[in-house]
Amino acid sequence: MAEKKGFFKRLVEGLTKTRDHITAGIDAVFSGFSKIDDDFYEEIEEILVMGDLGMKATGAIIENLKLKVKEQHIKDPAACKELLISSIKEQMEVGETAYRFEEEQSVVLVIGVNGVGKTTTVGKLAGKLKAQGRKVVLGAADTFRAAAGGQLAEWANRAGVEMIGGQEGADPASVVYDAVAAAKARNADVLLCDTAGRLHNKKNLMEELKKINRILEREYAQAYRETLVVLDATTGQNALNQAKQFAEVADLTGIVLTKMDGTAKGGIAVAIQSELGIPVKYIGVGESIDDLQKFDAGEFVNALFHKAGEEEMG
């Protein structure tokens, strides 16, 4: 519980920038309007869009809010705040099946551009899964970046899991091939692959991922497939654009948002999920292994609005 509470506290701190922007604006709207009308909704819409929630998610949240206001015959703008918060939460729900790969024999590909915390995320996930009693093999298929293999080897060491590959310039698909063989030989539960993500050279990336997918289909057909894209929350709209580009080259099943501990543009979590229909599954708020946690919509939105007294419930 302590670990979870510390995480919530850091999440609250990480979302300060977004929260100041959104909450101050929304509170002003709730206290400044005497009736619920089009202007009232427009003001809220503008604040949410400015808070990086994106047009699509904001539109859905406002529609949902209007519906609830109508159904519940609400006349006082101040009474809308809880409804707005619950509308945002509904936009963010991840669903029960989101973590199937933890329960079954699976292979998880992790993609993302350099500098977003991808290799660190792979290392933390390995540690988390190992702590849950899963047998993990790491595939170091990001052979493009010189330091990636060494960095991953450190995490593998720390987590006490086996790592395959890591040689700079090796063919990523052949690393995955070897890693699959090792996962099968060791009867591993989860094969976690760190892969390169070079968006400026999309065609190469596409070919590389296709090749990796072909190997997985041929050699490891029985394994459940998960493809996570790692994005840096501090980059806001840029993260959304990256997610869209990766969605074009890979069959994404989930998103990991890192760097929620700095000047995170937290609303982007809502935007990405809404625009792409791909759930945010993990968020990272720091460097240690406990700083990567499963995404909890209720907790996230509470941190966004920092509702006092709710963190104890966490």
Side-chain angles (χ1 to χ4, degrees), residues 8-298:
F8 182 84
K9 190 164 177 283
R10 281 205 301 287
L11 183 57
V12 168
E13 285 160 11
L15 291 172
T16 301
K17 199 173 161 188
T18 310
R19 184 174 50 254
D20 288 350
H21 204 98
I22 294 180
T23 319
I26 280 173
D27 285 346
V29 175
F30 286 131
S31 56
F33 277 79
S34 53
K35 64 177 193 302
I36 297 171
D37 56 12
D38 287 348
D39 288 346
F40 169 76
Y41 286 123
E42 263 174 39
E43 287 276 328
I44 293 177
E45 195 167 356
E46 196 175 312
I47 290 156
L48 295 180
V49 171
M50 294 291 288
D52 275 307
L53 271 76
M55 294 301 290
K56 195 171 176 186
T58 298
I61 289 162
I62 297 290
E63 284 314 303
N64 192 332
L65 180 63
K66 284 181 178 173
L67 199 70
K68 287 178 174 161
V69 165
K70 204 170 169 181
E71 279 171 1
Q72 299 175 32
H73 308 292
I74 290 166
K75 299 279 179 273
D76 177 19
C80 283
K81 188 171 180 180
E82 290 307 314
L83 290 181
L84 176 66
I85 290 171
S86 68
S87 291
I88 296 174
K89 281 181 188 172
E90 279 167 35
Q91 273 291 307
M92 304 292 307
E93 284 306 333
V94 173
E96 286 305 296
T97 55
Y99 302 99
R100 243 182 86 179
F101 69 90
E102 292 187 350
E103 312 300 324
E104 302 174 35
Q105 185 176 47
S106 61
V107 54
V108 182
L109 287 185
V110 184
I111 60 178
V113 299
N114 285 335
V116 293
K118 181 171 55 74
T119 302
T120 310
T121 298
V122 175
K124 288 179 187 175
L125 263 179
K128 282 197 150 348
L129 290 162
K130 176 86 189 290
Q132 287 167 24
R134 316 293 288 160
K135 193 167 192 181
V136 182
V137 169
L138 280 183
D142 179 354
T143 58
F144 183 70
R145 189 167 70 89
Q151 201 183 345
L152 199 59
E154 261 173 55
W155 278 104
N157 229 344
R158 210 181 299 179
V161 301
E162 190 172 349
M163 182 184 109
I164 306 297
Q167 284 76 38
E168 189 186 346
D171 174 27
S174 69
V175 173
V176 172
Y177 181 88
D178 292 345
V180 167
K184 288 196 314 211
R186 315 281 183 280
N187 204 8
D189 299 304
V190 184
L191 169 60
L192 259 181
C193 294
D194 183 19
T195 65
R198 303 188 292 287
L199 274 176
H200 60 272
N201 199 340
K202 219 150 81 177
K203 199 167 176 321
N204 285 14
L205 177 65
M206 215 164 184
E207 289 310 313
E208 200 168 281
L209 289 169
K210 269 188 195 152
K211 213 165 149 190
I212 288 172
N213 284 326
R214 276 200 301 273
I215 284 167
L216 292 174
E217 272 148 31
R218 194 177 67 225
E219 303 294 327
Y220 212 19
Q222 70 272 34
Y224 175 75
R225 298 283 295 282
E226 183 83 28
T227 304
L228 301 173
V229 61
V230 181
L231 303 165
D232 175 344
T234 60
T235 63
Q237 290 301 315
N238 195 19
L240 174 59
N241 294 335
Q242 274 180 26
K244 281 182 176 163
Q245 288 185 282
F246 275 117
E248 288 169 20
V249 297
D251 190 8
L252 301 179
T253 54
I255 288 153
V256 181
L257 271 179
T258 60
K259 309 190 188 182
M260 276 290 198
D261 50 339
T263 50
K265 293 178 164 57
I268 206 65
V270 188
I272 291 170
Q273 192 151 320
S274 177
E275 295 268 338
L276 295 173
I278 300 164
V280 175
K281 294 193 181 180
Y282 292 92
I283 49 177
V285 294
E287 289 307 308
S288 85
I289 201 151
D290 292 333
D291 294 336
L292 184 76
Q293 297 276 359
K294 280 183 185 169
F295 181 76
D296 177 321

